[in-house]
Amino acid sequence: MTQKQLIELKGVSKSFKAADGSARLILDQVDFSLQEREIVALLGKSGSGKSTLLRIMAGLISADKGQMTYRDQAIYGPVTGIAMVFQSFALFPWLTVQQNVELGLEAQGVPAAEREQRADAVLELIGLAGFGGALPRELSGGMKQRVGIARALVTNPDVLLMDEAFSALDVLTGETLRNDMLELWQHAKISTKGILVVSHNIEEAVMMADRVIILGNDPGRVRCEVKIDLPRPRDVDSLEVRTLIDEIYGLMTMRHTHEAVTGEGAHHLGYRLPDTDVSRIEGVLDLLADTPFNGRADLPQLAAETELSDEELFPTYEALSLLGLALVEKGDISLTPLGAHYVAADQANKQELFGQQLLLHVPLAAHIRRNLEAELSGSLAEVPLLELLEEFMKEDEAKRVLEIAIEWGRYGAVYEYDYHTGRLTLPAMDDED
């Protein structure tokens, strides 16, 4: 039996204006489809445009190029049959649970009596019977997200879009809510015909989805797709599930050919440095070097050991790879000889080695150092550096990248930074030479 198509995107591209007025491409030529009775998970690192793509499907923002259809009808604005659940709960704090859930129905002009009956029914379905009169501040995080889901489900949506809906919750609460949603779906207790889940959690994606789509970065493009034919409910400890998780970890950490050869590669001044700090880099290195890993680890096992999310760890893996301290390949991470030497070194030698690798592999750090050495005063203002970075990225991203470069450079004694004046200087020892 042929599945009916719910949402289809063809050649969708989207740009946003940078601070200097130039256009920054967020999504480029994205093709996507969601079929009836299908759950699709969308994975991608920060900056891949996952949430932007979701908002285009919901009709909340428009694409610059491409075709977007819902049941073969063009999407020009918010669609009645599509509902969205947000990561931040997005509840009105001055409204009761009942009133928050009824909002969508009220906007559709549904009479008060019917609104109340439908809200009561969905609150019972989602496990919140008796909480209709409560205010959001009286609820736990998991209960708030249940209200957000109830508000989406009460409109009987054809398509449910979930934007990292479980990521703000603790692990156990998120897993419970995810399983409850899957049970409602499996037993057709909700009218929803298709679900798209944006996630940064690989295990969550494998446990929920029929297909996993991975987006590349800068700009967001579909890199690959993994089909999952396993029946639900799925056993997270089964060989089939663990194999799929490993496969997707490998795909997520693999450097795509396009990313390696374009101006967005690590050799470029506008490379978006991975958003991680030195303490986390060294923490993962120490853990990797210690028992039971002894220099090599399966990425899901390492994530479990650190109790950090994939979203927190992926930038650290990227930084370790960038600095030549670890090799990430096919879902595994291993210390390089340099990384093993780094772990064994004393603090002074660690910092010296970090600085050497930084100058060798991070063009922005090398650019700052060269310009400091060329300045008679040995001092540089940060503003021109920010303006330079804003040629490649948005203002907030430029600020973040410079902050990371400053932190790494200070640790590696490549340069110093005065937070009061906003100026970079050569280290004091270099000034004396």
Side-chain angles (χ1 to χ4, degrees):
M1 184 172 147
T2 305
Q3 287 178 297
K4 293 182 180 178
Q5 198 141 266
L6 295 170
I7 293 178
E8 184 175 26
L9 307 183
K10 290 183 178 179
V12 166
S13 299
K14 179 67 179 179
S15 298
F16 289 113
K17 281 192 176 181
D20 62 359
S22 62
R24 184 199 160 204
L25 192 59
I26 304 296
L27 296 169
D28 185 34
Q29 295 293 314
V30 174
D31 295 333
F32 170 84
S33 65
L34 177 68
Q35 314 290 332
E36 279 196 353
R37 296 308 303 165
E38 181 181 46
I39 300 176
V40 175
L42 193 61
L43 295 175
K45 297 176 186 176
S46 178
S48 60
K50 303 185 300 292
S51 293
T52 300
L53 192 61
L54 213 64
R55 281 157 175 74
I56 288 173
M57 293 182 206
L60 300 179
I61 59 175
S62 60
D64 299 332
K65 296 179 182 177
Q67 297 177 337
M68 300 142 290
T69 58
Y70 162 68
R71 290 198 178 275
D72 298 324
Q73 299 297 311
I75 297 174
Y76 293 113
V79 180
T80 302
I82 300 177
M84 193 161 175
V85 180
F86 299 91
Q87 175 185 358
S88 60
F89 314 142
L91 304 180
F92 290 101
W94 59 88
L95 298 181
T96 65
V97 166
Q98 181 92 15
Q99 290 167 332
N100 267 288
V101 172
E102 288 183 17
L103 276 176
L105 297 176
E106 188 176 351
Q108 292 177 5
V110 176
E114 184 182 345
R115 290 203 306 266
E116 182 178 358
Q117 184 270 324
R118 286 171 64 175
D120 284 342
V122 78
L123 285 171
E124 182 174 355
L125 187 68
I126 206 71
L128 287 176
F131 284 90
L135 290 169
R137 67 171 180 267
E138 302 172 62
L139 306 179
S140 66
M143 293 171 77
K144 288 177 184 176
Q145 191 57 294
R146 286 179 186 272
V147 177
I149 292 171
R151 183 177 54 193
L153 293 178
V154 77
T155 61
N156 295 324
D158 210 17
V159 174
L160 188 62
L161 307 177
M162 307 187 77
D163 190 4
E164 302 200 18
F166 311 118
S167 65
L169 309 174
D170 64 80
V171 174
L172 184 59
T173 302
E175 185 177 329
T176 301
L177 187 49
R178 181 186 75 205
N179 290 338
D180 288 349
M181 280 297 300
L182 284 174
E183 185 177 350
L184 294 176
W185 166 264
Q186 285 296 108
H187 294 93
K189 294 180 181 178
I190 53 178
S191 62
T192 303
K193 301 294 191 300
I195 300 176
L196 174 61
V197 179
V198 164
S199 180
H200 61 258
N201 186 318
I202 292 173
E203 181 179 298
E204 176 180 284
V206 171
M207 292 297 287
M208 289 190 76
D210 300 294
R211 282 190 295 139
V212 174
I213 293 175
I214 298 173
L215 290 183
N217 282 46
D218 298 319
R221 292 186 178 94
V222 175
R223 281 177 55 169
C224 52
E225 176 182 310
V226 178
K227 292 185 178 180
I228 302 177
D229 296 323
L230 301 177
R232 300 186 191 88
R234 295 167 185 165
D235 178 4
V236 71
D237 295 318
S238 70
L239 177 61
E240 295 86 353
V241 168
R242 301 317 303 177
T243 300
L244 277 166
I245 290 171
D246 280 348
E247 178 186 348
I248 294 172
Y249 262 100
L251 292 169
M252 287 285 290
T253 54
M254 179 180 68
R255 191 160 181 79
H256 197 260
T257 304
H258 167 78
E259 294 167 359
V261 300
T262 65
E264 300 300 338
H267 62 276
H268 193 269
L269 190 62
Y271 171 66
R272 289 163 180 78
L273 291 173
D275 195 356
T276 190
D277 56 34
V278 174
S279 62
R280 184 164 291 171
I281 291 171
E282 294 196 337
V284 171
L285 273 179
D286 289 341
L287 187 63
L288 187 57
D290 204 356
T291 307
F293 299 119
N294 299 318
R296 185 178 186 88
D298 175 69
L299 291 180
Q301 289 179 331
L302 190 62
E305 187 71 24
T306 61
E307 297 184 351
L308 295 172
S309 69
D310 297 330
E311 189 174 46
E312 292 169 304
L313 282 172
F314 276 130
T316 306
Y317 300 151
E318 187 178 350
L320 288 168
S321 180
L322 174 67
L323 296 170
L325 302 174
L327 178 67
V328 181
E329 190 175 31
K330 295 182 179 178
D332 292 333
I333 183 170
S334 56
L335 287 177
T336 61
L338 185 66
H341 175 68
Y342 186 98
V343 171
D346 60 28
Q347 186 59 39
N349 283 324
K350 278 183 178 178
Q351 289 182 242
E352 182 181 359
L353 185 56
F354 194 96
Q356 290 171 359
Q357 294 302 102
L358 189 65
L359 289 172
L360 187 61
H361 297 291
V362 179
L364 177 57
H367 173 84
I368 292 170
R369 177 71 188 213
R370 281 196 307 270
N371 279 271
L372 283 171
E373 291 172 344
E375 283 286 332
L376 292 176
S377 65
S379 171
L380 284 175
E382 67 176 337
V383 173
L385 291 168
L386 281 170
E387 291 173 346
L388 178 63
L389 291 174
E390 285 169 17
E391 294 179 13
F392 306 102
M393 59 192 80
K394 293 190 292 186
E395 183 179 358
D396 59 335
E397 291 176 342
K399 185 178 179 182
R400 180 191 64 81
V401 166
L402 185 58
E403 286 173 351
I404 294 166
I406 287 171
E407 186 210 342
W408 291 9
R410 292 181 72 210
Y411 181 76
V414 174
Y415 36 74
E416 293 293 342
Y417 178 73
D418 188 323
Y419 287 92
H420 298 292
T421 63
R423 296 189 72 84
L424 292 123
T425 57
L426 288 169
M429 191 166 52
D430 288 357
D431 280 340
E432 292 169 5
D433 288 345

